[in-house]
Amino acid sequence: MHTELQFFEKLVQKLLSAEKTEPVVKPFSTSTVNSDLNLGFQAEGLSDGDWQKLVEDVALNTPRTSSKLFFNQLFGGRQPKAVLGDLLAVVLNNSMYTYKVAGPQAGIEKAIIQETCRLIGYKNGDGTMPPGGSMSNFMGLIMGRDAKDPLVGQKGVSKTMILYTSKTSHYSTPKNASFAGIGRDNIRYIRNDRFGKMEPSHLLESIEEDLAKGYTPFYVNATAGSTVLGAFDDINPIADICEKHKIWLHIDGAYCGAVIFSEKYKHLVNGAERSDSFSFNAHKMLGTPLSSSIFVTKHKEQLVKSFSNEAEYLYQTGAEDYDLGKTSIQCGRRNDALKFWTLWKSIGSNGLEELVDHQFELADVAREYCEMNEDYTLYSFPDSVSVCFNYKDIDPKDLCTKLYEEGNLMVGYGQFKGQEFVRLVTINATNTKEDIIGFFQVLEKGT
Ligand SMILES: *Cc1c(COP(=O)(O)O)cnc(C)c1O
């Protein structure tokens, strides 16, 4: 282990300086990447020297997602305290299913869940850390399904159950509907207003139509930070409808649910305490390494009902509340809690708040830059960390592809109501205002 750790430290130092001098690596073509980098296997292993050289080569040719010029996805930057936590989780190598095996690590996960419930306003809530936001949404969906029809888990789905989500919600919803036996055809895509928020009047209309047809509306997925526009559905009017029709309300806050840490921005999820379940990704706004997702619900018993199963060979100490396997999808489960905890303990809840607020400030800087410069057309709105724009008359797809292929900048494109645009996400809280201006300069120079 000693040699490997020494090699690791040297390699990481190399990576960190390469990230500064060359923030974007030129991509290999998919048709040659395996042969160019010798990714395949041989019967004989490599000598230590060759092995180190190969590992280094692969690492240095991997996209640099923590650099100053990575804006391509909804994560970025590097919080050193969180990185340390994740490295330690690997060395400790616990599995989170029982207290016997996880010990204080289970306590850490529980502390994260309890504080999240408190921030949202769930009394006696509970939760778990699923492997990502898509799986958090899946858990919400399963619980909503089981709450509406407690026999489904035993007998299978027997009626037409309908779920509602906005047109701009995350693509995990149709996949999850398929996994859950609900069926993709039983999703109603609710219209967005011009800001990208779900239209509650259309939601109500759709539910009433389905009831009239004898169908069973059971689930509404609201989004706190839609993937493209970063828009927040208005929770209160949606919660009114869900309460009236006894429908499970899940808030998908994978992208921006972490606003619960901010005094200034938590109003964007006003009414969240009225939802049945809520999720956010610490690996998005809070900058922990992938993945660290938190799923919470106010219905502790339903969580157990939907996700527990007897397993005499596993649960042997009767640690009940600390046997976290009773509320998770997986059996063996990675420790995604420690990295968030090492960060949170180091900077406190106030520090998490600053990370969130800073991202909104950076977005303001970017929006202002677009507004002040007539070469830019802006398509997004305040209170969002996604800044969508077009530059001159350049096709956004061509622009993003050119920047990527020439190793200048990583940024993606998206669309809303038929309009395509570049999407800059200011989710990397280690960036400064100057870095955001730098983004535009690199973009302008690269075209
Ligand atoms: C990123 C995202 C997800 C998916 O989260 P993963 O951790 O990538 O599975 C779900 N919903 C929204 C709104 C997202 O932005």
Side-chain angles (χ1 to χ4, degrees):
M1 193 68 196
H2 190 62
T3 345
E4 283 76 14
L5 281 178
Q6 279 181 329
F7 166 65
F8 179 76
E9 200 192 332
K10 269 209 318 234
L11 176 57
V12 171
Q13 294 299 351
K14 226 180 228 179
L15 259 175
L16 291 179
S17 54
E19 204 174 83
K20 285 211 182 85
T21 52
E22 199 193 342
V24 186
V25 287
K26 276 207 176 167
F28 282 88
S29 148
T30 50
S31 56
T32 61
V33 65
N34 279 45
S35 50
D36 288 346
L37 289 173
N38 181 22
L39 304 184
F41 302 103
Q42 294 83 32
E44 296 297 326
L46 298 173
S47 70
D48 265 7
D50 287 346
W51 177 86
Q52 289 191 358
K53 207 167 149 300
L54 178 65
V55 172
E56 177 177 320
D57 203 22
V58 169
L60 288 170
N61 280 294
T62 295
R64 297 183 180 157
T65 62
S66 298
S67 84
K68 295 270 177 206
L69 290 176
F70 180 83
F71 297 95
N72 206 73
Q73 243 75 44
L74 307 183
F75 62 91
R78 191 180 281 119
Q79 296 291 339
K81 294 287 195 297
V83 172
L84 185 278
D86 209 12
L87 293 172
L88 191 56
V90 171
V91 178
L92 290 169
N93 201 33
N94 301 97
S95 176
M96 300 300 273
Y97 39 38
T98 60
Y99 186 70
K100 190 177 181 187
V101 172
Q105 303 299 324
I108 283 174
E109 182 166 313
K110 284 201 76 79
I112 290 171
I113 284 160
Q114 278 162 6
E115 185 59 11
T116 303
C117 286
R118 198 188 65 75
L119 287 167
I120 291 168
Y122 287 164
K123 294 195 185 78
N124 300 315
D126 200 1
T128 181
M129 294 187 65
S134 300
M135 280 296 112
S136 297
N137 292 345
F138 183 60
M139 293 187 77
L141 181 63
I142 294 294
M143 288 177 70
R145 186 199 67 181
D146 295 351
K148 183 55 100 180
D149 182 354
L151 292 178
V152 168
Q154 205 62 34
K155 306 277 184 200
V157 178
S158 62
K159 46 191 162 200
T160 305
M161 301 182 80
I162 311 285
L163 83 87
Y164 305 82
T165 190
S166 92
K167 282 193 168 139
T168 52
S169 63
H170 190 253
Y171 75 96
S172 53
T173 295
K175 291 205 299 182
N176 291 338
S178 155
F179 303 161
I182 299 300
R184 286 183 164 91
D185 286 352
N186 294 320
I187 302 175
R188 303 287 180 261
Y189 289 101
I190 306 303
R191 280 196 302 268
N192 294 109
D193 68 12
R194 71 182 199 88
F195 302 107
K197 296 170 188 280
M198 188 194 291
E199 274 183 26
S201 56
H202 187 216
L203 172 65
L204 183 60
E205 219 173 277
S206 307
I207 290 171
E208 285 171 349
E209 262 171 40
D210 287 317
L211 284 169
K213 286 180 187 148
Y215 298 157
T216 307
F218 76 102
Y219 187 77
V220 173
N221 175 81
T223 309
S226 60
T227 310
V228 173
L229 275 192
F232 290 78
D233 289 340
D234 267 331
I235 305 301
N236 275 314
I238 296 173
D240 290 341
I241 297 168
C242 290
E243 279 167 14
K244 180 168 170 221
H245 289 289
K246 299 202 165 34
I247 293 174
W248 188 280
L249 173 57
H250 172 68
I251 301 176
D252 172 8
Y255 184 11
C256 300
V259 293
I260 57 173
F261 290 96
S262 164
E263 276 306 314
K264 192 165 171 200
Y265 292 100
K266 69 180 184 191
H267 71 91
L268 294 169
V269 292
N270 267 354
E273 72 286 353
R274 300 173 65 191
S275 65
D276 298 286
S277 53
F278 180 102
S279 58
F280 76 97
N281 280 350
H283 65 257
K284 286 186 172 171
M285 283 192 117
L286 302 181
T288 73
L290 286 150
S291 56
S292 183
S293 295
I294 294 88
F295 171 83
V296 288
T297 173
K298 63 159 69 130
H299 308 282
K300 197 179 166 106
E301 278 171 26
Q302 187 62 55
L303 184 69
V304 176
K305 273 189 206 155
S306 289
F307 294 102
S308 72
N309 208 78
E310 286 305 310
E312 192 243 337
Y313 57 83
L314 182 62
Y315 303 115
Q316 299 181 334
T317 60
E320 282 306 319
D321 260 13
Y322 280 74
D323 280 348
L324 304 183
K326 295 194 167 169
T327 49
S328 70
I329 294 179
Q330 310 104 295
C331 174
R333 186 163 61 98
R334 200 181 183 284
N335 180 357
D336 288 334
L338 182 58
K339 57 188 145 192
F340 185 22
W341 183 84
T342 47
L343 173 67
W344 196 342
K345 275 298 209 185
S346 140
I347 63 176
S349 302
N350 292 343
L352 297 181
E353 172 174 39
E354 278 168 29
L355 294 182
V356 171
D357 288 357
H358 183 56
Q359 290 163 45
F360 282 99
E361 274 165 27
L362 294 179
D364 289 344
V365 170
R367 262 193 310 275
E368 239 163 68
Y369 186 92
C370 294
E371 278 165 354
M372 302 293 281
N373 189 325
E374 59 191 28
D375 287 335
Y376 287 85
T377 317
L378 187 65
Y379 299 95
S380 53
F381 306 99
D383 283 345
S384 158
V385 294
S386 293
V387 181
C388 304
F389 64 85
N390 275 322
Y391 177 60
K392 294 185 170 167
D393 286 326
I394 307 173
D395 179 72
K397 194 187 261 174
D398 294 345
L399 180 68
C400 295
T401 307
K402 182 162 187 272
L403 290 166
Y404 162 64
E405 284 178 348
E406 293 178 0
N408 289 320
L409 178 67
M410 287 187 73
V411 65
Y413 53 91
Q415 59 161 297
F416 177 61
K417 294 199 191 268
Q419 176 66 54
E420 206 153 79
F421 39 62
V422 179
R423 180 195 61 171
L424 162 65
V425 289
T426 57
I427 195 145
N428 177 355
T430 67
N431 275 338
T432 61
K433 294 175 183 180
E434 291 70 37
D435 292 322
I436 298 300
I437 303 301
F439 160 87
F440 288 110
Q441 288 166 345
V442 172
L443 180 143
E444 288 160 21
K445 230 169 76 189
T447 54

